[in-house]
Amino acid sequence: MPRLPTPIPRPDDHTDAPPDSSRFQRLDGAAVRRSAQSLQQRISSRFPDRTLWEVCGEVVGIVDEINAGSGISRRRVRAARVLSRLVMLLIAIFLGGAVALAAVQVATSPGAVGPLDLLPLIETIINDLVFGGIAVFFLFSLPERMERARVLRILHRLRSLAHVIDMHQLTKVPERLERATREEGGMDLDRADLTRYLDFSTEMLSLVGKSAALFAEDTTDGDVLDAVQGIETLTSDMARKVWQKIGIIQQQGA
């Protein structure tokens, strides 16, 4: 009997991230990529004359893009982050300098500034601080909004890819097994090949869901998590319908 692994002790003040020595509390992008590439090879060897393996190649490409974290959009986000931090620093220096100059003027010539003169000065300082704070908040959140938009665009591509996979299996119905050729409405697939084709479709749908889940590893953004959950629900529902077809095929062949 294999020896059970000893739980990894962690201090009371540890973060919520998985321990460094853990290999099973985080989705590995490289493993998802290997699974997608292996599935593509299996599909191309079983159905070389069909385009299903090319669709799986699209899954591999998106997983590579997710793992690399590169591209024009990502470079734009990095540039925006640097520029926003620089402008935030300039705004802080400008506001700090303006407040400091006003304070120095009041301190050096207290008789020249009366109580009534202080009111518009204080109002101006408050307005500058408020609008400066709004500008700093906007600039601070700008890269995060750009990153969210980039991730949502890729998730939209994954959602579209799931529908493409579903379209490939949509016309593969058990009733067409009774027809011999494509001219007669058949598929040129026997019962075993059709079952395998549908099984490959469910695996691809599962990989699309796992590819979307890669974005949920390092973010707590609500919009991104909702989009990921939506894709996982979509692919699960599609795969469930495919398995119903497989069940019908198995019942007919029994």
Side-chain angles (χ1 to χ4, degrees):
M1 181 177 179
R3 184 178 180 182
L4 295 177
T6 303
I8 303 173
R10 306 193 70 186
D12 294 335
D13 58 347
H14 68 81
T15 64
D16 293 330
D20 297 335
S21 56
S22 175
R23 297 185 296 116
F24 305 106
Q25 297 184 29
R26 184 180 180 86
L27 189 61
D28 188 2
V32 175
R33 204 265 182 193
R34 287 193 299 270
S35 299
Q37 188 176 31
S38 174
L39 178 60
Q40 183 187 17
Q41 294 172 352
R42 288 160 52 204
I43 297 175
S44 62
S45 62
R46 185 69 178 264
F47 303 106
D49 57 338
R50 299 192 178 259
T51 58
L52 190 64
W53 66 272
E54 298 181 27
V55 179
C56 193
E58 295 290 333
V59 178
V60 176
I62 292 183
V63 173
D64 286 338
E65 186 175 345
I66 295 172
N67 291 337
S70 59
I72 296 177
S73 298
R74 190 61 180 267
R75 290 195 294 269
R76 288 175 180 171
V77 172
R78 292 173 180 173
R81 182 173 288 108
V82 173
L83 290 176
S84 65
R85 300 302 186 264
L86 178 60
V87 176
M88 287 168 55
L89 179 61
L90 293 176
I91 292 175
I93 293 175
F94 174 78
L95 292 177
V99 173
L101 289 175
V104 169
Q105 183 179 0
V106 172
T108 54
S109 55
V113 181
L116 295 178
D117 297 327
L118 287 177
L119 293 178
L121 178 61
I122 294 174
E123 182 182 1
T124 301
I125 292 175
I126 293 176
N127 288 335
D128 292 342
L129 292 176
V130 170
F131 287 110
I134 294 174
V136 168
F137 176 78
F138 173 80
L139 292 170
F140 182 80
S141 60
L142 178 62
E144 284 69 23
R145 292 200 301 271
M146 294 180 64
E147 177 69 15
R148 182 190 303 123
R150 183 190 74 88
V151 171
L152 291 178
R153 282 194 296 269
I154 298 179
L155 290 174
H156 178 71
R157 290 165 54 193
L158 283 172
R159 186 181 296 108
S160 299
L161 188 57
H163 285 289
V164 171
I165 296 170
D166 189 56
M167 286 297 298
H168 273 71
Q169 66 82 30
L170 193 61
T171 57
K172 307 299 187 296
V173 293
E175 291 78 6
R176 296 180 63 186
L177 286 172
E178 301 174 359
R179 304 169 188 175
T181 63
R182 292 188 178 182
E183 290 75 13
E184 299 174 353
M187 298 174 290
D188 293 339
L189 296 173
D190 58 19
R191 196 174 303 277
D193 285 340
L194 180 57
T195 301
R196 179 56 62 188
Y197 189 97
L198 296 176
D199 188 36
F200 284 151
S201 299
T202 61
E203 291 188 48
M204 289 176 60
L205 290 170
S206 177
L207 284 172
V208 169
K210 296 298 181 293
S211 301
L214 289 174
F215 283 116
E217 292 293 319
D218 300 311
T219 184
T220 57
D221 189 287
D223 293 338
V224 173
L225 295 177
D226 289 342
V228 170
Q229 184 179 5
I231 293 177
E232 291 178 330
T233 302
L234 175 67
T235 53
S236 297
D237 292 342
M238 289 179 175
R240 189 179 300 111
K241 295 178 181 178
V242 178
W243 277 110
Q244 290 176 356
K245 287 185 181 181
I246 295 176
I248 294 173
I249 295 171
Q250 293 175 345
Q251 290 178 358
Q252 290 178 350

